Amino acid sequence: MLTATRFKIKPLIAALCLSPGLVVADNQLSQIVVTANQIEQPLSHITSDVSIINAEDIRAQRATSVIELLNTLPGLSFTQNGPLGTSTSLYTRGSDNQRTLILIDGVRAQDPSNIGGANLAHLMVANIERIEVIKGAQSGVWGSDAAAGVINIITKQSLETRLTLEHGAYNTGKSAVSTGFTIGDARLFVNAAHISSEGFSAQTPVGENPNQYESNGYRNTNLSARAIVPIAENQTLTLAHNHTQARSEYDAWGDPNDVKRADTQTDLSQLNYQLGSTKVAGEQSLFTTEQLDDANPDIVKGKTQSLTLSHQYQNLLMGASYTHNEAQSDKFSWGAGQNQKLKDSTNAKSLFATHSHNWKNFTFNEALRWDNYSNFGSELTGKLGVKMVITANQSLALNYGTAYNAPNIIQILNPWGTANPDLTPEKSAEASITYKLYGLTLTYFDKEIDELINWVGGQYQNIDGTTKIKGVEAEYKKRFEQWQFAINYTHLDTEKANGEPLARRPDNQVGLNLNWYATDKLDINLNGQYIGSRSGNVDSVTEHYSVWNTVINYELNQTTTAYLKVNNLTDKYYQTIAGYATAARSAYLGLSARF
């Protein structure tokens, strides 16, 4: 691993990044991160590759879906099978979202009945305060599903009331409200959001206009509440629930004028009791997806339940957990000529520890975790990171971690074909080196995966051999006077054991984000992305394109802001997957207020 790279950073980016005398005014090193090692730490004490999307970023871009925000970060890319609500895949340094753990306020959103893990299509931005992204092998901290990284989506928790209304293209309407209350010493936070859209045709043959086909609409309602109740001195009880109900429309394969519908419901619940530095956490995640237009039942359900005991002593966290995963499918089997009801479950016992410490100008992060699955056996994973502070604005970090990715239960049951009870976890190791100088960040990463899980011959199988993923990320951020500027570049090189690249990952991509605070009342955002060729694709419409978006925010008074958002500013025709449409130039007007 960590062999010499065969590529070069684009000259333009290198020139921007290496210009002397540039100073970053926006120092993020004091920001508190909770995801990297499961404890609250300032960013300066973390060795891992961390990206943070904060409230200012969210306001500037006015994105609709979480995937839009994540797509602005280096090392992340996505594909989508049409408009809002259709199947969405996120690639973290070349690994798809089944290998990236998605958390919502720390609760696992991974669905054991969904082959892709968390259902990213239904994660909307409304009422989100912050997103933490930890890239690299994180199984030593979080276990399975975190082989490529962890994304923690943190919702708003404010006593201030905030209201947002938006309407625009494709008859899309959004509304969101968040507020908080105090009842004695207790605090209660409540969020609600709704979005509906007529959308456009999901399937559209390459080169054709999606407007000539039947549109595929979408609606999504999200409700969340969190209560923090002090019980006694140094004792706190926290109760939280997050509910999402979505209905999406999509096209049957090869028929852009067909409309299929699916109902999806997700409920994430959490109960935490904390006594000093000791915490007991109980979590439950429930998932249901039902296809509404089939003549026969087609329902899948997933459930995850966990109980965790942890104790923190200074920068050492130790804990133990028990997790139960379950998936079931009620689907008509044409081969059997009847409804086929499949159900399976697995249990896992885990012990884990994370630790951080400083010595002179070095910071160390360590993690070790042991997981024992009822159907896979035991896995021991770890993570080690060291960061050397060279000067006040210069550092060098090295990280190495081992990881594994257990197959989802639904992959084993495989209601679409032949079950594979012999499917086993894929195992991986990743090393990275990161150099930071002022606002410049350069990272090289190298990953190897054994026994990759892939779809072969009508079922999921472990592929013999080693899959290799390596690449480089370059990011430069600069903030001065009325301007905030960020540019990033990612090069990715993937190779399966048979020598073929992993499909749909862009080999090269560039992202740009520019904020101009023109006056005290007016600020303008311009963000865009260039996507190069995608591995495994043969159609030019899925590669070599640039998409630009802009947002104009105008403060009407101290509490109210109006904004205009225009996506795909140049009306670029492109597809992330050949045969599936993307939005044309589209404009939206919005109003946000706080009380």
Side-chain angles (χ1 to χ4, degrees), residues 418-436:
T418 306
N420 185 4
D422 298 324
L423 202 59
T424 60
E426 58 187 34
K427 300 179 182 181
S428 61
E430 180 174 348
S432 66
I433 180 169
T434 300
Y435 173 72
K436 293 188 177 183

Side-chain angles (χ1 to χ4, degrees), residues 84-254:
L84 278 174
T86 55
S87 180
T88 303
S89 294
L90 174 72
Y91 303 100
T92 304
R93 289 182 173 171
S95 294
D96 62 24
N97 47 276
Q98 182 196 347
R99 296 154 179 90
T100 300
L101 176 61
I102 308 297
L103 306 170
I104 299 179
D105 290 326
V107 180
R108 288 176 180 260
Q110 306 299 102
D111 180 1
S113 66
N114 184 349
I115 59 172
N119 196 333
L120 297 171
H122 306 310
L123 296 180
M124 300 295 123
V125 172
N127 295 326
I128 290 176
E129 184 73 17
R130 171 186 174 92
I131 301 176
E132 295 180 0
V133 179
I134 319 297
K135 289 175 285 188
Q138 304 297 321
S139 288
V141 180
W142 293 97
S144 182
D145 306 320
V150 182
I151 297 173
N152 191 9
I153 299 166
I154 301 168
T155 59
K156 292 177 181 176
Q157 297 177 34
S158 173
L159 297 176
E160 184 179 63
T161 298
R162 306 178 192 180
L163 174 67
T164 300
L165 299 172
E166 180 183 301
H167 195 273
Y170 305 110
N171 197 22
T172 301
K174 297 195 300 184
S175 57
V177 62
S178 65
T179 190
F181 310 92
T182 56
I183 305 173
D185 293 330
R187 290 172 293 162
L188 175 64
F189 306 106
V190 180
N191 301 317
H194 179 76
I195 181 171
S196 63
S197 176
E198 292 181 358
F200 48 87
S201 177
Q203 287 192 40
T204 301
V206 173
E208 296 192 16
N209 188 339
N211 293 334
Q212 63 184 302
Y213 299 108
E214 195 76 28
S215 296
N216 297 126
Y218 180 66
R219 67 173 185 257
N220 178 308
T221 300
N222 175 258
L223 305 170
S224 66
R226 174 175 295 269
I228 303 174
V229 184
I231 300 175
E233 184 178 356
N234 220 20
Q235 295 185 56
T236 304
L237 186 68
T238 301
L239 301 92
H241 186 75
N242 191 302
H243 169 83
T244 300
Q245 182 80 44
R247 175 169 291 188
S248 53
E249 296 179 354
Y250 60 97
D251 294 324
W253 175 248

Side-chain angles (χ1 to χ4, degrees), residues 37 41 313 315-317 353-357 364-367:
N37 296 300
Q41 291 177 287
Y313 175 72
N315 289 322
L316 172 65
L317 177 73
T354 69
H355 183 247
S356 302
H357 66 283
F364 297 88
N365 289 175
E366 306 99 0

Side-chain angles (χ1 to χ4, degrees), residues 337-514:
Q338 60 184 9
N339 282 354
Q340 186 179 29
K341 295 187 178 182
L342 304 173
K343 183 176 181 179
D344 199 1
S345 64
T346 182
N347 303 315
K349 302 172 185 176
S350 307
L351 299 173
F352 59 90
T354 69
H355 183 247
S356 302
H357 66 283
N358 298 318
W359 177 73
K360 295 186 177 180
N361 60 327
F362 291 89
T363 296
F364 297 88
N365 289 175
E366 306 99 0
L368 189 65
R369 185 180 180 103
W370 174 81
D371 294 295
N372 181 262
Y373 274 82
S374 57
N375 57 343
F376 301 127
S378 300
E379 296 289 345
L380 183 66
T381 53
K383 186 180 77 167
L384 176 63
V386 57
K387 179 166 64 177
M388 178 177 64
V389 177
I390 303 171
T391 66
N393 295 298
Q394 188 178 16
S395 66
L396 181 69
L398 292 89
N399 287 278
Y400 178 80
T402 58
Y404 74 102
N405 184 63
N408 269 1
I409 297 173
I410 202 69
Q411 292 178 320
I412 299 172
L413 294 175
N414 191 19
W416 312 277
T418 306
N420 185 4
D422 298 324
L423 202 59
T424 60
E426 58 187 34
K427 300 179 182 181
S428 61
E430 180 174 348
S432 66
I433 180 169
T434 300
Y435 173 72
K436 293 188 177 183
L437 176 63
Y438 295 104
L440 166 68
T441 302
L442 293 173
T443 300
Y444 173 73
F445 57 90
D446 196 326
K447 181 175 184 177
E448 293 186 352
I449 308 168
D450 293 325
E451 304 295 316
L452 181 75
I453 299 172
N454 209 349
W455 179 263
V456 179
Q459 65 176 189
Y460 284 93
Q461 297 181 12
N462 292 103
I463 308 302
D464 292 335
T466 301
T467 297
K468 299 179 180 180
I469 302 175
K470 58 185 176 181
V472 70
E473 299 168 5
E475 183 177 35
Y476 179 75
K477 290 184 175 182
K478 169 71 173 160
R479 188 165 189 166
F480 55 98
E481 296 181 352
Q482 296 173 294
W483 298 87
Q484 183 175 340
F485 170 83
I487 187 170
N488 64 70
Y489 167 72
T490 303
H491 176 89
L492 191 65
D493 186 7
T494 68
E495 184 180 346
K496 294 189 289 188
N498 61 5
E500 296 178 355
L502 293 169
R504 297 178 177 172
R505 282 78 165 167
D507 298 334
N508 297 282
Q509 64 185 67
V510 179
L512 176 68
N513 192 36
L514 179 66

